[in-house]
Amino acid sequence: MKLVALFVLLVVAGCQSVPSWERGVLARSDMQLEGSPTEALLNSQLYDSKEASAGGLSAAGAGCGCN
Amino acid sequence: MAAEPGDIAPDFNLPGLDGGDEISLSDWRGSVVYLDFWASWCGPCRISLPEMVKLQSALSDAPFTVLAINLDEEPHKGVRFLKRFPVNYPVASNPDGSVAASYNITGMPNSFLIDPEGRVVLAHSGFRPGDMKIIRAHIDELLQSAAE
């Protein structure tokens, strides 16, 4: 248990927020989790209606912090 | 914390993106300035830049300027972007983002409306179709009160 807690602590410590003006690399299309934004939007629409819930899956704006 | 209405807008002195003369915010003291931070990788900037070109043209006779700061780490990408989306206002280059950090911008694009005394009147993050109407109303109000 202690080992798991230590692992989580180490992984979380590696998280860092990137300032909005340094997100050029994150905004590249090959850095996206979803290959097609339109398909992702349609999938999310289907998921939301099937699950009767919305949001919480990803941030909008292709990772660049835009809008 | 991001520069907020009422704050004095941090001054800067940056080279032009085209390699031209240095650009300082203080050069426009006495005018209303719409300061816009952008980068070539920012999707909404493809909408906002043409809108700002129209804004600059519409207010060319007023004590007003759009002033832009490009934040591409590789400035040539910004230059290439401007070949596709040419602008009619000064564009400075800030590849290390030091000025963006001094304004602590929260999104891209991010803009600030600055009054003739150098004070931030409006901070605007992101850009959606229709935003320019709101921004223009603030600019007109500011120009009117500056003329009185």
Side-chain angles (χ1 to χ4, degrees):
Chain A
M1 189 62 193
K2 276 183 185 171
L3 271 176
V4 172
L6 186 67
F7 176 75
V8 169
L9 204 66
L10 285 172
V11 170
V12 168
C15 297
Q16 195 184 356
S17 101
V18 181
S20 56
W21 60 92
E22 288 178 358
R23 294 181 189 166
V25 174
L26 293 174
R28 275 178 7 203
S29 57
D30 57 343
M31 289 291 280
Q32 305 314 306
L33 291 173
E34 300 281 357
S36 160
T38 311
E39 195 183 319
L41 187 70
L42 289 171
N43 283 340
S44 145
Q45 183 86 10
L46 281 173
Y47 180 85
D48 294 349
S49 65
K50 297 283 181 198
E51 294 290 324
S53 64
L57 293 175
S58 64
C64 66
C66 311
N67 285 342
Chain B
M1 213 162 80
E4 287 181 344
D7 292 350
I8 291 290
D11 197 13
F12 54 80
N13 189 36
L14 294 170
L17 182 63
D18 57 1
D21 293 343
E22 296 214 319
I23 295 169
S24 300
L25 178 63
S26 52
D27 291 346
W28 275 276
R29 190 58 61 89
S31 295
V32 173
V33 175
Y34 186 71
L35 179 66
D36 181 57
F37 291 90
W38 68 280
S40 65
W41 46 262
C42 153
C45 297
R46 285 157 206 224
I47 307 170
S48 67
L49 263 70
E51 289 291 324
M52 282 185 290
V53 168
K54 285 186 217 161
L55 179 69
Q56 179 75 12
S57 299
L59 295 173
S60 59
D61 294 332
F64 169 83
T65 190
V66 176
L67 191 55
I69 298 182
N70 172 261
L71 295 169
D72 276 289
E73 287 178 50
E74 297 165 89
H76 69 88
K77 291 184 177 170
V79 173
R80 199 166 57 202
F81 187 91
L82 288 187
K83 281 186 181 146
R84 259 185 85 193
F85 300 94
V87 298
N88 53 357
Y89 48 80
V91 182
S93 176
N94 184 216
D96 67 5
S98 54
V99 178
S102 72
Y103 280 78
N104 201 3
I105 65 170
T106 53
M108 285 290 277
N110 210 138
S111 55
F112 297 88
L113 183 60
I114 299 167
D115 74 8
E117 282 78 47
R119 211 173 283 277
V120 175
V121 174
L122 176 77
H124 188 85
S125 184
F127 195 88
R128 295 174 181 82
D131 282 3
M132 191 47 84
K133 261 189 185 168
I134 301 161
I135 293 162
R136 179 67 196 263
H138 278 93
I139 293 170
D140 287 345
E141 196 179 316
L142 204 51
L143 285 170
Q144 201 172 351
S145 63
E148 282 166 5

